[in-house]
Amino acid sequence: MASPTKSEAFSERLRTTMAQRGYTKFGGTALAEALTPVFPAGLSVQTTHKWATGQAMPRADRIKPIAKWLKVSAHWLEHGPDPQADRKGAKGLDGEISGKAFAERFHALTVEQRRIMLALLHEFERGRSR
């Protein structure tokens, strides 16, 4: 299977993050409507359709406001996980990782991998309360 293009990977990160934020519809029209608070002048449905389907990416000046609205880093939204994250944010298995680095790495996981991580967290929390 071929690896996704940059615009397809962006679309997947956008779609996944929106689903996590409670948006159940994800198409050109739904995306344009959801982004109205970010872009009050509006966005064309054709533009947002291309973002939603991985045919195109937003211009650079639109990435940052979308990322802020979704509460993710602009770098992560545009490019995916920071390849330097291990060096910048993690000290190893017995060390600490910054909240930002953890969040970026968590959001880069597949939906199933995130479910597993959340199940592990719940188990650890239950173990602490015993």
Side-chain angles (χ1 to χ4, degrees):
M1 183 171 152
S3 62
T5 65
K6 185 175 179 178
S7 57
E8 289 169 337
F10 165 82
S11 178
E12 176 63 26
R13 287 187 295 276
L14 179 64
R15 199 173 26 254
T16 299
T17 306
M18 287 185 69
Q20 291 170 344
R21 304 292 184 265
Y23 292 92
T24 57
K25 294 182 181 178
F26 190 82
T29 302
L31 183 56
E33 289 172 0
L35 287 170
T36 299
V38 181
F39 302 102
L43 295 166
S44 76
V45 173
Q46 293 82 4
T47 295
T48 55
H49 171 77
K50 289 179 182 179
W51 298 350
T53 58
Q55 296 175 42
M57 292 211 26
R59 294 187 321 243
D61 64 326
R62 291 182 172 170
I63 293 281
K64 192 171 183 176
I66 295 169
K68 184 176 179 181
W69 174 69
L70 290 170
K71 298 181 175 106
V72 297
S73 78
H75 181 278
W76 177 82
L77 185 60
E78 184 174 3
H79 304 287
D82 182 350
Q84 301 297 317
D86 285 336
R87 285 184 230 144
K88 289 192 291 190
K91 296 180 181 175
L93 292 176
D94 59 345
E96 298 284 326
I97 183 170
S98 72
K100 181 179 177 183
F102 180 84
E104 287 178 352
R105 292 171 73 180
F106 181 82
H107 286 291
L109 299 173
T110 66
V111 172
E112 184 58 30
Q113 289 170 329
R114 285 193 299 272
R115 283 189 192 121
I116 292 167
M117 289 292 295
L118 290 172
L120 283 169
L121 287 171
H122 290 299
E123 282 299 314
F124 290 139
E125 288 169 346
R126 282 191 356 203
R128 258 195 330 221
S129 62
R130 292 180 188 163

